[in-house]
C-alpha cells in the first residue's frame, strides 16, 4: 500500500493538500527554486506535505520525482545533469530520443503504483484532441472507476515523456495502455499548462471533498522577456527553429496558463489557494522553454527561490 494513505484517510474535516506544477520546458528551473524553499519551510519532503501532486510537461517530471520520494535538491541535480543534453540537440528527433532515454534512466520501470503520495500527469491525445491524465489512484477519478488501471497501465517514464512532447519541437509519443490500445500523445500544456483546475476537480468530484477542505499551492515557471533570437550566438545553436514558431508555442502556453487562472477565480474562487508565478523584466532573464544555458537556468532557479521567500508567510499559513 502506498504511504499516501497516511495523508488522507477519508476524514472530510481534514485539509487535503494539492501541489500543482505548470509546464514550461527548461523554465522548470524556476519551479524547482520555489519548491526548494517550500521544502525548507516545511522541514520535510514534499511527498509528506501533499496528498496529491499534479504536473504538466516539465511540471510532470518534477511531480513524478517528488511523488517517488525524491527531495527537491535531488530533482535540481537531475535537471542540471539532463536538461542541457536534451535541449541542446539541433533536431526534434534528437531531442525526443534524448528525452525518452533520460526518462527511462531516471524513472526506470516505476509505475503509478506504490508511490509516496498520489500523482497525476497531464498529456494530450493527438487524434482525439482531448486530455489524457495518468492517475495513481481510482479515488481521483469521477468516471470509469470500474475499469480504472493506475496510469492506464503505462509506466511513469512513458507518461512523463508524453506530457513533455512539445510538438513540433519534439516528436509525438505513442503509449500502449493495459487494454493494448496504442495512443498518440503530445504535450499536456496544449490542454492544461496550469493543471490546478484538474486537481481541484479530482478532489471535489472524485474524492467528494468540500471546497473548503482543500489547500492548493500552484507553482508556475515564471514570465520572462522573449530572447533576441537573431543574436549571433543563438543563431549558432538554433539556425532556424527558434524563430516565430517558438514564440508562437510560448505564447500559446502562456495564454493557456492565464486563461486557467481566470477560470479558477470564477469557478473555484472560494478555494484556499496560492499561486506563485512572478513576472520578470530584466533583459538578462530573457529566455524560452528551449533554453539550455546553465548560467541562464541558474538565474531562473535563484529567482524562483526569491519568489517563494516573498510568499513565505502565506505558504506556511496555507500548508501548516
Amino acid at each position: 500500500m502506498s504511504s499516501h494513505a497516511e495523508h488522507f484517510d477519508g476524514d472530510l474535516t481534514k485539509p487535503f493538500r494539492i501541489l500543482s506544477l505548470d509546464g514550461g520546458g527548461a523554465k522548470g528551473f524556476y519551479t524547482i527554486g520555489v519548491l526548494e524553499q517550500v521544502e525548507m519551510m516545511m522541514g520535510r519532503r514534499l511527498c509528506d506535505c501533499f496528498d496529491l501532486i499534479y504536473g504538466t510537461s516539465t511540471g510532470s517530471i518534477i511531480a513524478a520525482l517528488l511523488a517517488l520520494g525524491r527531495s527537491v535538491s535531488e530533482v535540481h541535480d537531475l535537471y542540471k545533469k539532463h536538461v542541457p543534453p536534451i535541449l541542446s540537440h539541433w533536431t526534434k528527433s534528437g531531442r525526443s530520443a534524448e528525452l525518452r532515454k533520460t526518462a527511462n534512466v531516471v524513472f526506470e520501470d516505476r509505475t503509478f503504483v506504490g508511490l509516496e503520495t498520489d500523482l497525476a500527469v497531464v498529456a494530450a491525445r493527438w487524434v482525439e484532441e482531448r486530455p489524457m491524465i495518468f492517475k495513481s489512484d481510482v479515488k481521483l477519478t469521477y468516471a470509469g472507476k470500474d475499469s480504472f488501471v493506475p496510469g492506464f497501465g503505462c509506466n511513469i517514464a512513458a507518461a512523463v515523456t508524453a506530457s513533455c512532447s512539445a510538438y513540433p519541437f519534439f516528436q509525438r509519443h505513442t503509449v500502449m495502455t493495459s487494454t493494448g490500445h496504442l495512443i498518440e500523445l503530445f504535450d499536456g500544456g496544449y490542454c492544461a499548462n496550469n493543471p490546478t483546475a484538474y486537481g481541484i476537480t479530482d478532489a471535489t468530484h472524485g474524492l467528494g471533498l468540500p471546497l473548503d477542505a482543500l489547500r492548493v499551492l500552484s507553482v508556475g515557471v515564471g514570465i520572462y522577456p522573449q530572447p533576441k533570437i537573431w543574436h549571433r550566438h543563438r543563431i549558432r545553436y538554433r539556425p532556424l527553429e527558434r524563430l516565430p514558431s517558438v514564440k508562437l508555442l510560448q505564447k500559446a502556453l502562456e495564454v493557456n496558463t492565464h486563461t486557467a487562472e481566470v477560470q479558477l477565480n470564477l469557478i473555484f474562487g472560494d478555494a484556499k489557494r496560492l499561486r506563485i508565478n512572478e513576472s520578470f523584466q530584466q533583459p538578462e532573464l530573457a529566455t524560452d522553454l528551449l533554453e539550455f544555458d546553465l548560467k541562464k537556468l541558474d538565474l531562473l532557479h535563484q529567482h524562483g527561490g526569491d519568489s517563494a521567500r516573498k510568499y513565505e508567510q502565506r505558504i506556511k499559513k496555507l500548508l501548516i
Side-chain angles (χ1 to χ4, degrees), residues 24-88:
K27 294 184 293 181
F29 275 83
Y30 172 89
T31 308
I32 294 169
V34 172
L35 296 178
E36 277 187 340
Q37 293 300 312
V38 174
E39 189 173 70
M40 285 187 277
M41 293 173 197
M42 302 301 292
R44 59 191 190 276
R45 298 176 305 168
L46 293 186
C47 65
D48 297 322
C49 302
F50 293 94
D51 302 287
L52 170 61
I53 305 180
Y54 239 94
T56 295
S57 196
T58 195
S60 76
I61 302 174
I62 301 169
L65 289 167
L66 296 178
L68 286 166
R70 298 291 187 95
S71 69
V72 183
S73 63
E74 289 178 295
V75 177
H76 188 203
D77 289 341
L78 288 168
Y79 261 60
K80 288 186 290 185
K81 179 179 179 180
H82 293 295
V83 167
I86 293 171
L87 296 181
S88 61

Side-chain angles (χ1 to χ4, degrees), residues 123-132 134 151-152 154 158 162 172-186:
R125 297 171 70 127
W126 177 255
V127 175
E128 294 85 353
E129 299 174 343
R130 59 187 177 89
M132 181 169 178
F134 299 81
F152 299 102
C154 300
R172 300 187 294 273
H173 187 66
T174 299
V175 301
M176 178 178 285
T177 67
S178 59
T179 58
H181 294 146
L182 293 173
I183 302 178
E184 190 176 17
L185 300 171
F186 67 125

Side-chain angles (χ1 to χ4, degrees), residues 62-125:
I62 301 169
L65 289 167
L66 296 178
L68 286 166
R70 298 291 187 95
S71 69
V72 183
S73 63
E74 289 178 295
V75 177
H76 188 203
D77 289 341
L78 288 168
Y79 261 60
K80 288 186 290 185
K81 179 179 179 180
H82 293 295
V83 167
I86 293 171
L87 296 181
S88 61
H89 279 276
W90 283 43
T91 65
K92 65 181 177 184
S93 60
R95 284 188 292 275
S96 299
E98 190 73 26
L99 173 63
R100 290 192 299 270
K101 181 182 77 173
T102 300
N104 288 328
V105 168
V106 170
F107 295 107
E108 298 176 326
D109 59 353
R110 292 298 304 268
T111 70
F112 284 78
V113 176
L115 303 178
E116 297 294 317
T117 193
D118 272 319
L119 171 67
V121 169
V122 181
R125 297 171 70 127

Side-chain angles (χ1 to χ4, degrees), residues 115-171:
L115 303 178
E116 297 294 317
T117 193
D118 272 319
L119 171 67
V121 169
V122 181
R125 297 171 70 127
W126 177 255
V127 175
E128 294 85 353
E129 299 174 343
R130 59 187 177 89
M132 181 169 178
I133 306 176
F134 299 81
K135 300 179 182 180
S136 61
D137 198 319
V138 66
K139 296 194 300 291
L140 299 172
T141 65
Y142 36 92
K145 286 182 179 288
D146 293 335
S147 59
F148 177 84
V149 176
F152 299 102
C154 300
N155 62 23
I156 291 174
V160 164
T161 300
S163 184
C164 293
S165 294
Y167 185 82
F169 303 101
F170 287 80
Q171 294 171 330

